[in-house]
Amino acid sequence: MVEDAVFHDGQPVTSEDVAFSLEIVKENHPFGAYMFEVVDRVKTPDKHTVVIELDDPSPALMMALSPALMPILPKHVYGDGQPIRTHPANAKPIGCGPFKLAKFEPGEYFILERNPNYFRKGLPYLDRIIGRVVDDINAAIITMKQGKGHSLGYLADPHKIKILKKSKNLKLYSAGYEGIAATYFLEFNLRRDTFKDVRVRQAIAYAMDLDFITKKLHMGFTRKATGPIHSKTLFYTDQVKTYPLDLEKANQLLDEAGFPRKDDGMRFSATLEWFPDPALMKNVAEYLKPQLKKVGIDIQLKAPAGFLPWMMRVGNWKHDLTLNNYFMWGDPMIGVHRIFHSGNIRKQVWTNTSGYKNREVDKLLEAAAEEMDFEKRKALYAEFQKIISEDLPLYFTYEAPYHTAYHKDLRNVPIPSIWGAATPNDKIYWKNGRTPK
């Protein structure tokens, strides 16, 4: 470990903090068990040495230890026995990074100030970062265009991206989100009799025009997805079954699956809800209603009242169909396994909420989670992608066009990171401000 690292309250960062943090993340993170299930014990032979002993090999371990997934928590603050989720220190966090919290007004703003004791000497360059909470994305766009806002990350709305690209005050970058690797999909609740037959799921895939979605609805900012692993990652393969628009094939499959058209021309009805993302999901949902009607499927749109109601319905398996996405978080073992492994069918969003069970897929994922040879691991994931593209518990539709907008006078952007806007920002500086030595 870095020996001169200290927390913002002046206490040293030690191996005990690392061991404590790993256990906290393992127990409380939504997919902490997947990241650290193989960890048998964490030893701390001295203050600056950490030894992690594993039951099995773990090729994704170093990625799981990234700050975006496992921040180092101060044991002297959080180790007092109080529940981590409701701990009073959550509102006054103490870290060891380049900026420390100076002020926090929930729902309004926060102020971070330069940490003079940061263990990377000479950094950060900025004196202060002010984070403003803006609920209305349109207001945020106006603020950025006026030059009053200097950084805005995770931009996904094609219309907003196009607007900001025209601003003379700003520069936009799409690089740096490879670790996020957001992939969008239509999820089938396989507990519903309607969707148990794979022919129904494939028919719906054939009835969807992904070219129309990506090129028209999303103005060319999204790209077609082919499966569960993002195309910008090392384990991607395009050698999978795809579903070009074919209404005749869709109708044929629905007939074969035992869903003939009724007198009104419809075969069956299903509700469709979506993650409350108006930029990339609402218009897709609205497109699917008339599009699937062409093959006799009556789609009833259920607009989300907000994130929490949508989360409760999908997390409790109350949905028929839902539009959603997930992040890969740098490695399929971290971000993808949780969606497909039958051992992770839980009442919680971003788990296996479709109810998909395939023992062959489970074995492939389990083998890939331990395989240290890259080429062998890649082959396992290639076979996994092939099976999923045919089984279609989820139909993968498009990949997100995340961008970050920066003021034109900021330097050292885009930041060389795979985590997009979720970076330390320690090397950013103003054109006429503090510069690297």
Side-chain angles (χ1 to χ4, degrees):
M1 294 175 58
V2 174
E3 295 190 6
D4 58 351
V6 297
F7 287 105
H8 296 152
D9 61 0
Q11 294 295 313
V13 181
T14 72
S15 56
E16 291 289 338
D17 297 304
V18 177
F20 174 77
S21 299
L22 193 150
E23 192 61 32
I24 289 292
V25 171
K26 184 178 180 179
E27 293 180 359
N28 293 275
H29 196 283
F31 37 98
Y34 269 99
M35 293 191 291
F36 300 122
E37 184 178 21
V38 298
V39 175
D40 176 50
R41 69 181 70 180
V42 181
K43 294 182 177 179
T44 56
D46 60 58
K47 289 184 177 181
H48 297 106
T49 301
V50 181
V51 180
I52 302 175
E53 296 186 350
L54 311 178
D55 291 325
D56 298 294
S58 179
L61 179 65
M62 296 309 295
M63 186 65 71
L65 293 172
S66 299
L69 294 165
M70 201 198 86
I72 304 302
L73 303 174
K75 184 179 179 180
H76 65 277
V77 174
Y78 284 101
D80 60 1
Q82 298 187 66
I84 190 71
R85 294 175 184 270
T86 57
H87 199 286
N90 293 342
K92 298 178 180 180
I94 296 174
C96 55
F99 297 94
K100 56 183 180 180
L101 184 67
K103 191 172 184 179
F104 175 43
E105 291 293 337
E108 296 183 22
Y109 67 91
F110 61 84
I111 299 176
L112 304 178
E113 292 184 346
R114 185 176 187 272
N115 176 15
N117 299 315
Y118 186 41
F119 58 86
R120 290 176 175 166
K121 302 306 180 186
L123 297 176
Y125 298 131
L126 295 177
D127 293 314
R128 185 179 297 105
I129 292 178
I130 301 173
R132 297 176 181 172
V133 178
V134 182
D135 293 329
D136 184 354
I137 183 61
N138 293 311
I141 296 299
I142 293 172
T143 300
M144 291 296 294
K145 288 182 65 179
Q146 292 175 339
K148 297 178 180 178
H150 305 137
S151 175
L152 180 62
Y154 293 94
L155 283 164
D157 187 330
H159 295 278
K160 304 299 188 291
I161 294 172
K162 190 173 182 179
I163 290 171
L164 291 181
K165 277 182 175 289
K166 297 178 181 179
S167 174
K168 296 180 179 180
N169 290 324
L170 304 171
K171 291 184 178 180
L172 270 72
Y173 303 92
S174 60
Y177 287 97
E178 293 80 9
I180 301 297
T183 306
Y184 288 65
F185 56 84
L186 172 68
E187 179 180 303
F188 304 94
N189 188 341
L190 302 182
R191 303 166 189 83
R192 302 287 189 261
D193 291 338
T194 311
F195 303 121
K196 288 181 177 179
D197 194 317
V198 67
R199 291 172 294 187
V200 173
R201 305 194 294 272
Q202 291 185 348
I204 290 176
Y206 276 120
M208 295 174 61
D209 186 348
L210 297 190
D211 284 320
F212 177 80
I213 292 174
T214 57
K215 295 178 182 179
K216 299 297 183 180
L217 294 182
H218 296 159
M219 303 165 62
F221 282 99
T222 60
R223 57 177 293 164
K224 291 190 292 185
T226 60
I229 294 182
H230 197 282
S231 64
K232 295 294 185 181
T233 59
L234 297 174
F235 300 102
Y236 170 78
T237 179
D238 61 0
Q239 300 302 302
V240 297
K241 182 178 179 62
T242 56
Y243 300 85
L245 178 64
D246 191 336
L247 297 181
E248 183 177 348
K249 180 68 172 178
N251 278 306
Q252 176 189 338
L253 287 170
L254 290 168
D255 288 336
E256 293 175 359
F259 291 97
R261 290 183 183 268
K262 302 173 185 177
D263 292 341
D264 61 357
M266 295 294 103
R267 302 173 186 272
F268 60 83
S269 178
T271 60
L272 171 62
E273 42 207 292
W274 57 94
F275 177 86
D277 176 358
L280 294 180
M281 296 196 202
K282 182 175 182 289
N283 55 3
V284 175
E286 292 171 342
Y287 156 76
L288 287 178
K289 181 176 176 64
Q291 183 67 12
L292 294 185
K293 186 177 181 180
K294 295 177 183 178
V295 294
I297 300 177
D298 179 25
I299 293 296
Q300 301 297 315
L301 299 181
K302 185 176 181 60
F307 172 73
L308 185 59
W310 171 85
M311 180 188 73
M312 294 300 294
R313 281 186 54 79
V314 175
N316 285 286
W317 314 335
K318 302 296 185 183
H319 61 299
D320 294 338
L321 299 164
T322 188
L323 294 170
N324 195 4
N325 71 354
Y326 62 66
F327 296 169
M328 203 175 79
W329 290 114
D331 192 282
M333 194 279 287
I334 299 173
V336 178
H337 289 210
R338 59 193 167 115
I339 306 296
F340 297 97
H341 196 286
S342 64
N344 201 39
I345 297 176
R346 294 188 288 153
K347 289 191 173 183
Q348 180 180 334
V349 292
W350 295 303
T351 63
N352 187 348
T353 49
S354 69
Y356 179 61
K357 298 178 182 179
N358 185 320
R359 188 53 193 151
E360 184 178 0
V361 166
D362 288 349
K363 289 180 178 179
L364 286 169
L365 296 178
E366 290 161 7
E370 298 180 4
E371 181 55 66
M372 299 301 291
D373 183 280
F374 173 76
E375 293 301 329
K376 291 180 180 178
R377 194 170 184 232
K378 187 174 182 178
L380 291 168
Y381 281 126
E383 183 62 23
F384 159 70
Q385 291 169 81
K386 180 180 178 181
I387 294 173
I388 294 300
S389 70
E390 295 175 356
D391 275 3
L392 289 190
L394 286 65
Y395 179 42
F396 288 89
T397 48
Y398 47 92
E399 297 172 351
Y402 285 143
H403 284 65
T404 303
Y406 291 102
H407 191 282
K408 63 180 178 60
D409 289 338
L410 281 172
R411 297 295 183 261
N412 272 355
V413 294
I415 305 167
S417 166
I418 63 170
W419 302 121
T423 60
N425 291 319
D426 55 355
K427 295 182 180 180
I428 290 180
Y429 64 95
W430 282 104
K431 177 181 177 181
N432 297 315
R434 181 186 287 114
T435 57
K437 299 293 185 183

